Amino acid sequence: MFTKILVANRGEIAVRIFRTCADLGVAAVAVHSSADAGALHVRTADEAVDLGDGPASENYLNIAKIVQAAVDHGAEAVHPGYGFLAENAAFAQAVTDAGLVFIGPSAHAITTMGEKVAARAVAAAAAVPLLPGSAGAVADEDEVTRFGEAHGYPLLIKASFGGGGRGMRQVPGPDEVTDAYASAVREATAAFGDGEVYVERFLVDARHVEVQVFGDSYANAVYLGDRDCSVQRRHQKLIEEAPAAGLSDAMRAAMGEAALRLVREVGYVGAGTVEFLVEGESFYFLEMNTRIQVEHPVTELVTGMDLIAEQLRVAAGEPLSRTESGVTNGAAIEARINAEDPAGGLFRPAPGPIYSITAPQGEHLRWDAGYESGDEVLPLYDSLVGKLIAWGPDRDTAIDTLLVGLDGLKIEGIATTVSAAAHILATEDFRSANISTRWLETSVTLPEPEPAEEPLGRDEVYVQGRYFRIPVFSDGVRSGAVVTAAHEDSGNGERRSTARRGPGRTKVAGDGTLKAPMQGTIVEVKVAAGDSVVAGQLLFVLEAMKMENPIHAPHDGVISTVSVAQGDSLPAGSLLAEYAEAV
């Protein structure tokens, strides 16, 4: 076993890895951007390295800096977590070339399976069912159109080097190709540094089912059960569970064996996940993630394994601790808790300071978090605050336990997805597993919460061109809270986590101005001064927290001025446009 490792990540996954390191007696080194200097993962580690200021490309994605930090601090191995460089073959190779161990598959396996087009070729060679897809990456929107003419719509454009729903766009018909292609390429470039995309048919009523696999350097390979991740918004998962409900024993075994054929085809070593789309009694290869998954805790709870510890042991040259596939006990369900405002089903990013987090306690509840009370969710990174996971001897019990846990999870200061998760779990469709990847966005109406208690008053001010909200609270709120609340507004305008007026809600003010609902970068402007617009028309696209957020016209009217251009980085509340008449 290693004596010291470096974790090339941040947030919840870094904290999670450090917890296992502490259990195993392994020293842990954190890396961080200057903006993250006070973050929980930095406070949790034994040592920390400041990689500098600037965007993620200059710190969390800077291969040379991270490898040098590992060497300088005497780490023997590097764990990439998920996201950032986790599926970057050049990073894995650089770690190896520096004489260190990469805690994950080889650079060759990442290139082969992490690159989605190459992975489809491996799946075909391993006799795993495939959806119709492009033979390789598509060079332009015309190729997407030709594919649609040949195979029919809807289509899905996907980032070749992506994951987590980034760089993925659904194309309902030929009229949407241009915007979908441009948006997918743009988001893939921003998230992964490569805008290459490919296209495949989109199954309208499919479920997303994945299989956890593990291989070691002794040619042993197992699958550790399956998970259902069908509850998604913007192709990003919100609720995950193990095992996937309602599958026949024959299909479950067939998917597991198909996943193992892929593992053996590339001589895979380490943790990985093979993802499938399931429709009826048929399943189709979707992609393979060559890393630990966000949703790995549900597999841990039904297998009794620590998958991070297993990663470390396998990377250190030890054989798998389990050689029998598909052995699970009970059911586990996870709710991702994100700093997002789910009002109206928009799930708009809502970064900002967290006043307090109170996690529920229970024998079969687990709270994995990247933040504590007093921390701030920065708009620079993804929106995941933590994950609440529940286990039960059966699925119904796991659902009930998680509902109790969500009721006891209190996060004050930012809008979160807690209420959305609770509503989803309580629906009859979810209880009966009558869901698909489009179910949440097409069949679920999230309730509007009760309005937050109003403060006594609030002023909105600009200071040196930056927008601030200064709330005034009752005498029962200590003055320190008022000072904390006076941060630059990043979508957390109310003290209560149930606030809905501020986070993610684009509104026209009384003077007819349209303002940015959150801090971010304008990546597309689709309106000009003098244009007549109708309610719901797309006006701007704002990138924030690794997500593109469309900003639509709130009502009909004529735009008199547009105050931003593509590429502008804005604080929340910045003026975007003005209507010709005040409303």
Side-chain angles (χ1 to χ4, degrees), residues 113-457:
M113 298 309 298
E115 198 274 297
K116 313 307 182 191
V117 175
R120 284 177 59 89
V122 175
V128 178
L130 285 166
L131 284 169
S134 55
V138 292
D140 52 40
E141 62 186 70
D142 291 339
E143 284 196 46
V144 179
T145 299
R146 287 195 293 272
F147 182 89
E149 291 171 349
H151 298 280
Y153 292 88
L155 308 176
L156 200 61
I157 300 173
K158 303 174 69 176
S160 296
F161 300 93
R166 268 68 175 190
M168 185 183 298
R169 292 293 182 272
Q170 185 184 340
V171 188
D175 292 343
E176 290 80 18
V177 168
T178 298
D179 285 349
Y181 176 80
S183 180
V185 170
R186 187 171 56 237
E187 191 171 68
T189 301
F192 312 112
D194 194 309
E196 182 179 290
V197 296
Y198 68 103
V199 62
E200 64 184 20
R201 276 297 310 275
F202 179 68
L203 297 181
V204 175
D205 294 314
R207 292 172 61 188
H208 183 138
V209 178
E210 58 190 30
V211 177
Q212 176 73 61
V213 294
F214 241 105
D216 64 20
S217 54
Y218 302 94
N220 299 311
V222 294
Y223 67 86
L224 301 175
D226 49 65
R227 302 184 286 252
D228 189 299
C229 306
S230 299
V231 180
Q232 305 176 8
R233 78 279 185 262
R234 298 184 182 184
H235 304 291
Q236 296 183 55
K237 303 162 188 172
L238 190 61
I239 305 289
E240 298 111 346
E241 61 179 304
L247 298 185
S248 66
D249 291 342
M251 175 176 280
R252 203 180 300 279
M255 279 196 296
E257 290 301 322
L260 287 186
R261 290 199 298 273
L262 286 172
V263 169
R264 295 180 178 122
E265 185 77 18
V266 293
Y268 193 88
V269 175
T273 298
V274 182
E275 302 191 343
F276 298 98
L277 289 176
V278 174
E279 192 172 62
E281 285 298 308
S282 300
F283 64 90
Y284 305 93
F285 175 72
L286 181 61
E287 63 186 28
M288 183 175 185
N289 294 134
T290 55
R291 53 172 168 80
I292 198 71
Q293 293 280 97
V294 179
E295 57 270 24
H296 75 273
V298 293
T299 297
E300 292 186 323
L301 292 188
V302 297
T303 60
M305 298 177 66
D306 181 332
L307 297 188
I308 303 298
E310 192 77 357
Q311 282 188 295
L312 268 60
R313 284 192 288 265
V314 167
E318 298 178 25
L320 291 173
S321 64
R322 181 172 297 187
T323 57
E324 186 177 1
S325 290
V327 179
T328 62
N329 175 42
I333 302 181
E334 170 182 293
R336 296 192 193 187
I337 307 303
N338 298 284
E340 297 176 12
D341 180 6
L346 296 177
F347 292 95
R348 290 278 179 83
I354 299 173
Y355 297 109
S356 67
I357 298 178
T358 303
Q361 303 295 315
E363 181 181 1
H364 297 306
L365 281 171
R366 168 174 159 180
W367 171 240
D368 286 10
Y371 298 86
E372 292 179 330
S373 300
D375 289 338
E376 182 170 2
V377 180
L378 299 174
L380 305 172
Y381 310 113
D382 68 64
S383 64
L384 183 66
V385 175
K387 303 174 302 194
L388 187 63
I389 314 103
W391 179 90
D394 52 65
R395 186 172 182 267
D396 282 343
T397 303
I399 292 173
D400 292 339
T401 301
L402 186 53
L403 281 168
V404 171
L406 287 168
D407 187 57
L409 177 59
K410 306 299 181 184
I411 302 176
E412 299 291 331
I414 56 173
T416 72
T417 54
V418 170
S419 62
H423 179 77
I424 290 164
L425 292 173
T427 64
E428 181 55 38
D429 276 349
F430 184 84
R431 182 77 69 165
S432 60
N434 182 27
I435 55 178
S436 71
T437 57
R438 297 178 69 244
W439 169 75
L440 177 58
E441 294 180 330
T442 62
S443 302
V444 178
T445 300
L446 296 174
E448 289 289 339
E450 292 296 321
E453 293 178 5
E454 292 289 340
L456 294 180

Side-chain angles (χ1 to χ4, degrees), residues 448-454 494 496 498-501:
E448 289 289 339
E450 292 296 321
E453 293 178 5
E454 292 289 340
E494 312 290 343
R496 291 166 54 92
T498 54
R500 299 297 167 187
R501 292 181 11 177

Side-chain angles (χ1 to χ4, degrees), residues 59-74:
N59 36 73
Y60 288 113
L61 292 171
N62 191 311
I63 292 175
K65 281 186 178 180
I66 293 172
V67 172
Q68 191 61 52
V71 172
D72 291 347
H73 284 258

Side-chain angles (χ1 to χ4, degrees), residues 478-555:
R478 57 187 174 85
S479 59
V482 177
V483 175
T484 305
H487 279 65
E488 175 188 351
D489 180 58
S490 294
N492 59 288
E494 312 290 343
R495 175 172 168 77
R496 291 166 54 92
S497 62
T498 54
R500 299 297 167 187
R501 292 181 11 177
R505 307 300 294 275
T506 306
K507 291 189 175 183
V508 174
D511 59 359
T513 60
L514 184 65
K515 297 177 181 178
M518 68 201 78
Q519 179 176 335
T521 300
I522 297 292
V523 295
E524 193 167 8
V525 177
K526 300 183 73 67
V527 67
D531 286 355
S532 295
V533 299
V534 296
Q537 180 178 331
L538 179 64
L539 303 184
F540 305 94
V541 179
L542 180 73
E543 190 277 329
M545 301 184 81
K546 294 187 177 182
M547 296 171 62
E548 289 197 350
N549 301 275
I551 297 176
H552 300 94
H555 58 73

